[in-house]
Amino acid sequence: MKLTKLGAILLVVALAIGAAAAAGSMLAPGCSSVHGTDVVTVSTADLSRGSARFFCYRAPSGDLIRFVLARGEDGVVRSVFDACRQCYRFHKGFTVADGYLICRLCGNRYKLDQVHEGLASCQPVQLENTQHGDKVQVRVASLEQGHTLF
């Protein structure tokens, strides 16, 4: 069967759309900007079990520091930088799918309940937080300590 030029173009477009859809879960998630002088406060009221949200803090130095708040199936909110101890050099960070935090470089998957445990040398970098009801507070000094990851 011989493809016409138009048929070949349509086939290539269809394959490209299919590849983009398949890779969709590995694309970088957007982040919500947060601000603060001493402390950054984030509401977690809309953070359901098994989900995560990505945040960006612009340090006075100009560095954009990304972090993740993830609520595990146990209801606990955990925070990590959007970088791991091994793969941070490639600036890929994580994505979230089906209750897992996934390294966009090596593909290691971490249950949201266990993001502080890590796997082999790819390990999410923990970020300290304080929780008060449906609010999470992260010290700006803690965020700025992670600037070398970005």
Side-chain angles (χ1 to χ4, degrees):
M1 180 166 125
K2 188 173 182 181
L3 283 178
T4 65
K5 192 171 192 177
L6 178 60
I9 291 171
L10 290 174
L11 179 63
V12 168
V13 169
L15 289 173
I17 290 171
S25 67
M26 293 305 285
L27 296 176
C31 61
S32 300
S33 292
V34 292
H35 309 280
T37 305
D38 295 322
V39 172
V40 169
T41 302
V42 178
S43 173
T44 57
D46 62 344
L47 189 61
S48 60
R49 290 175 185 250
S51 69
R53 289 182 39 213
F54 291 76
F55 298 92
C56 296
Y57 169 78
R58 177 78 60 186
S61 64
D63 293 329
L64 187 64
I65 301 168
R66 300 182 322 269
F67 66 99
V68 181
L69 294 181
R71 186 181 304 273
E73 292 298 333
D74 60 1
V76 175
V77 176
R78 294 167 178 84
S79 56
V80 295
F81 286 102
D82 187 18
C84 79
R85 296 192 188 283
Q86 183 65 29
C87 303
Y88 76 92
R89 295 172 275 190
F90 298 95
H91 307 288
K92 299 287 185 185
F94 297 103
T95 191
V96 174
D98 301 322
Y100 286 87
L101 191 65
I102 304 166
C103 178
R104 292 182 47 237
L105 182 70
C106 71
N108 279 353
R109 302 167 59 90
Y110 309 95
K111 286 188 121 188
L112 296 181
D113 295 27
Q114 302 168 344
V115 294
H116 292 156
E117 294 175 21
L119 180 67
S121 60
C122 178
Q123 184 176 36
V125 180
Q126 188 170 346
L127 175 62
E128 292 180 28
N129 73 65
T130 306
Q131 297 177 37
H132 303 284
D134 65 350
K135 303 252 187 254
V136 169
Q137 293 183 324
V138 178
R139 291 182 323 115
V140 167
S142 296
L143 286 168
E144 291 177 350
Q145 287 177 349
H147 81 278
T148 58
L149 299 169
F150 305 96

